[in-house]
Amino acid sequence: MNNSDLAQILIRAVEEADSSDRLLDAVQELAAAGIEEAVPCLIAALGYNNPGAAVAAVDGLIAIGEAAVQPLLQLIDGYNYGARAWAIRALAGIGDVRALDTLLEAAKTDFSLSVRRAAARGLGTLRWQQVPPEKLESIQTQVLEALLLISQDPEWVVRYAAVTSLETLAIAIAATLPDQASRITNQLQQMLDTDVDLGVRTRVKFAQEKIQPQQPQQHQEVFAPKIKLQDTEVPHRGGSRR
Amino acid sequence: MNPSLENIKDLSVTDDNADGGSLTVEQALANLESADLGLRFYAAWWLGRFRISEPAAVTALIKALEDEADRTPEGGYPLRRNAARALGKLGDRQAVSPLIGCLDCSDFYVREAAAQSLEMLGDPVCIPALIKLLAVGLQGEQLISKQPDLSQPYDAILEALGTLRATEFAPMVKAFLEHPIELVQYSAARAMYQLTQEPVYGERLVKALGGEKLQLRRAVLADLGAIGYLPAADAIAQTLAENSLKLISLKGLLEHQVNHITPSTFSEGAIKVMNLMDSLL
């Protein structure tokens, strides 16, 4: 049996699944087959409101890799934010630089926090070796600016995702843009000092250690309560949305 | 109060808060007295949502706990429900005693909101009143009925007793592990873990993550985040549910690690949880 026949059988199983368990099994099998013909069906599975199936489909799309990028960019569902978040996750997992503009826009402007979160993460997992050397500095600068902005998102999980990406970007630009590296370390330090969320501050501290493992920092600050700050800042941040 | 759990409730499981209108504090306070009952109802929600904790808001919401104007056809009190929910978020202990009063309200949802808010306010003075309500379902330390008993918001009461560390009442809480409604069982398991720190109760919740119903898995994610049960980390990452909810749950575990341990470096558990969280973004 060739890939095309196999794909048809597996795709039919997804289309005919009549329970969420069967759908999950069928999508898992299709994803595991790792064949390009499966891409549209896997993308469709991102919109079934079945988180298990969506996870399997994302894994399948990431495994297929570059061949899935163009269809994902084209078919990305502008109307269903659940599906859009999964599609962005798949693009982030693949790390293909063709997704850059989609990721930048989603991270900065999408109304859905899951989409912004996935896109913020994706900006840190781009495969820089794909970028032509003459464009590397300008693209990395663009990503840096975006991440500095996103790291001030009102939602903790988006800031958390931005921190993970600032971490990888700091390591990536140590060679290419050493004079910009201090902007990341300054931003991380500021977040450590002022972020209202303990989870975010903890991840910032972890990022700082990974960026500069030779200089372990004091831990005490992460754990210090920030009650006063929380009392005064939370209502304003919420109130200013929209 | 566990902010993680709160987030889950605020997000009402989907994502992204439905928006918040554009009131000012002054308008919201004025609207609480409006002739338009819809405006009152919305204003009470709004004050809680945006954590307007100034004294005038607290006073007005406490007054709204005795509202008689806004009634459902079944006799419920919508404004009281919203006022009770809001007061939990404002963190002002003046609300404790009025909320204890609400535990006697004829409206189930007012009692539920009051129990949840008393949990958030964290004042153990409400424990006897909560126990009185819990005891409605008990004869001694046994459940009265093997049939689903929906007369009281047992899940909210159990969760509050766990958070408030009502350890001397653990035997009563334990009885609800056998309650016919799964959600109530999980609340009892969560409370028992908080009261005893025995892993068997955490494991009961981990097992529930493998259950059939998505709604129940979502509830259990909230429970595990609230108790910070570290051995659940992998099961949380793998359960079939939205990543948003898994991330909130894992953040609960992470914060529990860094709040309760003062390491000279990150604990293995904290690093493990952060790596799992990174993988779910």
Side-chain angles (χ1 to χ4, degrees), chain A residues 21 24 49 51-52 55 81 86 89 111-114 116-118 121 155-157 160-161 164 197-200 202-203 205-206 209-210 219-220 223 234-235 238-239 241-242, chain B residues 7 11 14-17 19-20 49-52 212 214 240-244 246-248 251 254-255 258-259 261-266 271 273-275 277-281:
Chain A
D21 280 352
L24 174 61
N49 197 21
V55 168
Y81 65 71
W86 292 113
R89 262 177 67 67
F111 79 89
S112 159
L113 70 91
S114 334
R116 297 202 303 281
R117 172 192 89 215
R121 172 71 171 167
E155 296 292 344
W156 74 268
V157 75
Y160 187 103
T164 69
D197 193 284
L198 174 62
V200 172
T202 306
R203 188 63 185 81
K205 193 77 199 164
F206 193 42
E209 286 192 4
K210 292 212 258 183
H219 268 273
Q220 232 19 57
F223 308 109
V234 168
R241 185 167 335 145
R242 300 194 175 217
Chain B
N7 284 342
L11 297 177
T14 55
D15 208 282
D16 308 292
N17 306 304
D19 103 273
R49 170 63 184 85
F50 294 107
R51 307 288 197 281
I52 310 300
E212 296 251 313
L214 178 57
L240 302 175
E242 294 82 351
N243 283 13
S244 304
K246 296 184 193 182
L247 283 161
I248 293 170
K251 185 164 90 102
L254 178 62
E255 294 185 343
V258 296
N259 269 333
I261 303 164
T262 337
S264 59
T265 181
F266 284 116
I271 292 173
V273 172
M274 284 189 281
N275 286 330
M277 288 175 73
D278 287 5
S279 76
L280 292 165
L281 294 169

Side-chain angles (χ1 to χ4, degrees), chain B residues 204-217:
Chain B
R204 172 81 187 78
L205 293 171
V206 171
K207 189 163 165 250
L209 282 180
E212 296 251 313
K213 293 185 192 131
L214 178 57
Q215 279 301 344
L216 292 177
R217 295 196 298 272

Side-chain angles (χ1 to χ4, degrees), chain B:
Chain B
M1 168 178 39
N2 185 297
S4 306
L5 174 65
E6 234 240 335
N7 284 342
I8 289 188
K9 285 179 177 163
D10 264 4
L11 297 177
S12 61
V13 179
T14 55
D15 208 282
D16 308 292
N17 306 304
D19 103 273
S22 46
L23 286 179
T24 63
V25 176
E26 293 69 30
Q27 277 170 335
L29 290 174
N31 285 357
L32 268 186
E33 308 273 334
S34 167
D36 181 337
L37 298 179
L39 286 183
R40 289 194 205 183
F41 181 77
Y42 183 80
W45 173 83
W46 189 91
L47 290 167
R49 170 63 184 85
F50 294 107
R51 307 288 197 281
I52 310 300
S53 53
E54 49 193 75
V58 174
T59 308
L61 287 168
I62 288 174
K63 192 173 159 223
L65 292 177
E66 298 188 346
D67 174 75
E68 289 290 350
D70 192 4
R71 304 295 301 266
T72 66
E74 297 77 28
Y77 291 94
L79 178 60
R80 292 191 195 191
R81 296 172 190 168
N82 269 7
R85 289 177 192 128
L87 285 165
K89 297 179 182 178
L90 302 190
D92 189 323
R93 293 200 177 188
Q94 282 183 71
V96 169
S97 175
L99 285 169
I100 291 173
C102 288
L103 293 176
D104 292 323
C105 182
S106 58
D107 180 354
F108 175 95
Y109 297 103
V110 172
R111 300 197 298 277
E112 180 182 62
Q116 287 167 343
S117 288
L118 286 165
E119 174 184 10
M120 292 166 78
L121 293 175
D123 188 335
V125 73
C126 64
I127 290 174
L130 290 168
I131 287 295
K132 196 178 126 208
L133 221 49
L134 191 71
V136 172
L138 293 172
Q139 194 153 47
E141 290 174 2
Q142 298 288 318
L143 289 180
I144 288 174
S145 170
K146 291 286 172 210
Q147 297 306 308
D149 168 6
L150 300 168
S151 64
Q152 299 299 338
Y154 292 117
D155 47 353
I157 298 166
L158 292 162
E159 289 174 16
L161 290 167
T163 300
L164 296 168
R165 299 285 189 269
T167 42
E168 66 268 44
F169 298 103
M172 293 172 74
V173 170
K174 193 174 178 186
F176 284 83
L177 290 168
E178 310 297 326
H179 196 276
I181 297 171
E182 277 174 279
L183 212 54
V184 177
Q185 294 171 20
Y186 301 153
S187 297
R190 158 185 171 157
M192 284 305 289
Y193 181 80
Q194 289 175 311
L195 299 180
T196 67
Q197 298 294 309
E198 285 177 28
V200 61
Y201 302 112
E203 291 305 318
R204 172 81 187 78
L205 293 171
V206 171
K207 189 163 165 250
L209 282 180
E212 296 251 313
K213 293 185 192 131
L214 178 57
Q215 279 301 344
L216 292 177
R217 295 196 298 272
R218 287 169 172 161
V220 173
L221 284 174
D223 290 335
L224 286 164
I227 64 175
Y229 184 62
L230 183 63
D234 287 310
I236 290 169
Q238 282 156 25
T239 191
L240 302 175
E242 294 82 351
N243 283 13
S244 304
L245 301 189
K246 296 184 193 182
L247 283 161
I248 293 170
S249 183
L250 287 170
K251 185 164 90 102
L253 268 52
L254 178 62
E255 294 185 343
H256 196 80
Q257 285 290 300
V258 296
N259 269 333
H260 292 249
I261 303 164
T262 337
S264 59
T265 181
F266 284 116
S267 69
E268 234 173 85
I271 292 173
K272 180 193 170 83
V273 172
M274 284 189 281
N275 286 330
L276 286 171
M277 288 175 73
D278 287 5
S279 76
L280 292 165
L281 294 169

Side-chain angles (χ1 to χ4, degrees), chain A:
Chain A
M1 182 158 42
N2 64 29
N3 273 355
S4 171
D5 294 339
L6 177 62
Q8 284 190 6
I9 292 169
L10 295 173
I11 288 168
R12 197 173 316 132
V14 173
E15 287 167 353
E16 290 173 1
D18 56 4
S19 72
S20 66
D21 280 352
R22 288 214 181 105
L23 178 69
L24 174 61
D25 291 344
V27 172
Q28 278 175 334
E29 284 195 35
L30 179 63
I35 37 187
E36 278 185 51
E37 286 90 335
V39 167
C41 184
L42 290 174
I43 291 175
L46 304 177
Y48 292 162
N49 197 21
N50 178 324
V55 168
V58 167
D59 289 346
L61 289 162
I62 292 172
I64 291 166
E66 290 188 12
V69 172
Q70 206 53 44
L72 274 167
L73 291 173
Q74 277 163 5
L75 296 175
I76 215 161
D77 184 343
Y79 298 95
N80 176 343
Y81 65 71
R84 205 157 71 242
W86 292 113
I88 295 277
R89 262 177 67 67
L91 288 169
I94 296 167
D96 193 292
V97 176
R98 281 174 289 168
L100 178 65
D101 290 341
T102 298
L103 293 174
L104 283 170
E105 190 190 334
K108 288 194 278 195
T109 66
D110 203 284
F111 79 89
S112 159
L113 70 91
S114 334
V115 173
R116 297 202 303 281
R117 172 192 89 215
R121 172 71 171 167
L123 290 172
T125 54
L126 292 165
R127 299 206 311 244
W128 295 116
Q129 64 273 24
Q130 282 186 336
V131 179
E134 69 277 9
K135 288 191 182 167
L136 190 56
E137 287 192 10
S138 75
I139 292 183
Q140 286 184 333
T141 306
Q142 205 182 354
V143 170
L144 172 60
E145 301 288 353
L147 287 172
L148 293 175
L149 179 73
I150 300 156
S151 64
Q152 302 166 52
D153 193 280
E155 296 292 344
W156 74 268
V157 75
V158 180
R159 300 197 300 280
Y160 187 103
V163 171
T164 69
S165 292
L166 285 170
E167 170 192 310
T168 55
L169 186 66
I171 294 164
I173 67 170
T176 51
L177 293 168
D179 49 328
Q180 298 282 327
S182 64
R183 299 179 69 194
I184 296 180
T185 47
N186 290 345
Q187 176 68 5
L188 290 175
Q189 188 58 42
Q190 192 185 337
M191 293 177 81
L192 184 64
D193 293 341
T194 63
D195 200 285
V196 293
D197 193 284
L198 174 62
V200 172
R201 296 200 303 277
T202 306
R203 188 63 185 81
V204 167
K205 193 77 199 164
F206 193 42
Q208 289 178 327
E209 286 192 4
K210 292 212 258 183
I211 294 168
Q212 292 183 308
Q214 72 279 18
Q215 294 181 334
Q217 318 230 352
Q218 294 259 320
H219 268 273
Q220 232 19 57
E221 314 160 71
V222 184
F223 308 109
K226 302 270 179 174
I227 300 299
K228 207 172 164 191
L229 192 62
Q230 211 154 12
D231 280 353
T232 54
E233 283 212 349
V234 168
H236 295 299
R237 286 202 294 121
S240 67
R241 185 167 335 145
R242 300 194 175 217

